[in-house]
């Protein structure tokens, strides 16, 4: 009889590719998340903690708070962490200030949509930036740039906008 344990502290499960679609007005914020409890099949134990250490030799993981869990088979999905503060002057908290936005954050995507509408309406220069480093959804910077450009064409304001993609 198999026993399955999900170890994850998150209360919500996000469909993160949808963040770009929030930022471009295609999706509403409520369309990209569900309660974690609604995503877990019956019979699966949910441990609402984070894994902080792995000991493959002992087939065990340590969770925050110091508890350990042994396993016969482990599927590890460590994800990715956004280090906002690695960019001088930036933090998750100040996303949106000075019209600096990110689509890699649920709240940031919502702020981006408000800014995209203003940009498309008023006109000006938009700088869309990608990076050479590894990050989640490498196509997202291109997608938000193109969706913004598409919105400007639909609203007939494209001639008032300059797009730079770096």
């Amino acid at each position: 009889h198999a026993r399955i344990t999900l170890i994850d502290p998150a209360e919500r499960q996000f469909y993160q590719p949808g963040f770009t679609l929030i930022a471009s007005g295609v999706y509403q914020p409520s369309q990209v998340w569900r309660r974690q409890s609604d995503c877990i099949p019956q019979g699966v134990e949910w441990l609402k903690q984070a894994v902080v250490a792995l000991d493959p030799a002992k087939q065990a993981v340590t969770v925050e708070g110091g508890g350990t869990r042994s396993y016969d088979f482990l599927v590890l999905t460590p994800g990715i962490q956004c280090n906002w503060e690695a960019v001088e002057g930036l933090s998750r908290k100040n996303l949106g200030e000075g019209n600096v936005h990110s689509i890699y954050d649920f709240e940031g995507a919502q702020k981006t949509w408000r800014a995209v509408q203003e940009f498309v309406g008023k006109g000006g220069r938009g700088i869309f930036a990608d990076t050479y480093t590894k990050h989640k959804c490498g196509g997202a910077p291109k997608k938000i740039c193109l969706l913004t450009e598409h919105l400007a064409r639909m609203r007939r304001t494209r001639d008032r906008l300059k797009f730079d993609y770096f």
Side-chain angles (χ1 to χ4, degrees):
H1 168 261
R3 287 183 41 214
I4 300 173
T5 302
L6 170 67
I7 305 174
D8 187 341
E11 290 287 334
R12 293 197 278 183
Q13 183 61 247
F14 288 95
Y15 174 66
Q16 293 189 21
F19 290 0
T20 307
L21 299 175
I22 291 171
S24 60
V26 176
Y27 280 6
Q28 293 298 313
S30 62
Q31 292 178 275
V32 302
W33 70 271
R34 291 188 177 151
R35 290 189 330 238
Q36 182 84 284
S37 59
D38 292 341
C39 299
I40 301 171
Q42 190 173 20
V44 172
E45 177 189 3
W46 178 21
L47 184 59
K48 296 180 191 178
Q49 293 178 293
V51 172
V52 295
L54 177 64
D55 188 341
K58 293 182 179 175
Q59 288 186 277
V61 296
T62 302
V63 296
E64 59 189 3
T68 61
R69 288 288 179 112
S70 62
Y71 62 86
D72 294 313
F73 183 77
L74 174 67
V75 176
L76 189 62
T77 55
I80 193 163
Q81 176 182 337
C82 292
N83 293 320
W84 305 106
E85 287 76 14
V87 177
E88 187 176 332
L90 182 64
S91 71
R92 183 176 185 266
K93 190 176 179 179
N94 72 7
L95 282 177
E97 291 178 15
N99 236 352
V100 173
H101 299 277
S102 177
I103 53 175
Y104 291 108
D105 177 80
F106 182 62
E107 298 296 328
Q110 294 170 70
K111 292 176 183 178
T112 301
W113 172 230
R114 291 188 291 272
V116 162
Q117 293 177 87
E118 185 177 327
F119 171 59
V120 167
K122 287 184 175 180
R125 179 183 183 199
I127 297 177
F128 297 79
D130 200 347
T131 177
Y132 63 90
T133 61
K134 299 292 182 205
H135 59 91
K136 56 185 175 178
C137 195
K142 296 164 195 74
K143 187 165 68 170
I144 190 60
C145 180
L146 293 172
L147 286 166
T148 302
E149 200 269 349
H150 176 70
L151 181 65
R153 287 181 186 274
M154 287 177 29
R155 295 196 177 164
R156 300 188 182 343
T157 61
R158 177 60 180 92
D159 60 333
R160 297 188 308 214
L161 302 172
K162 178 172 175 24
F163 286 82
D164 287 320
Y165 186 88
F166 297 99

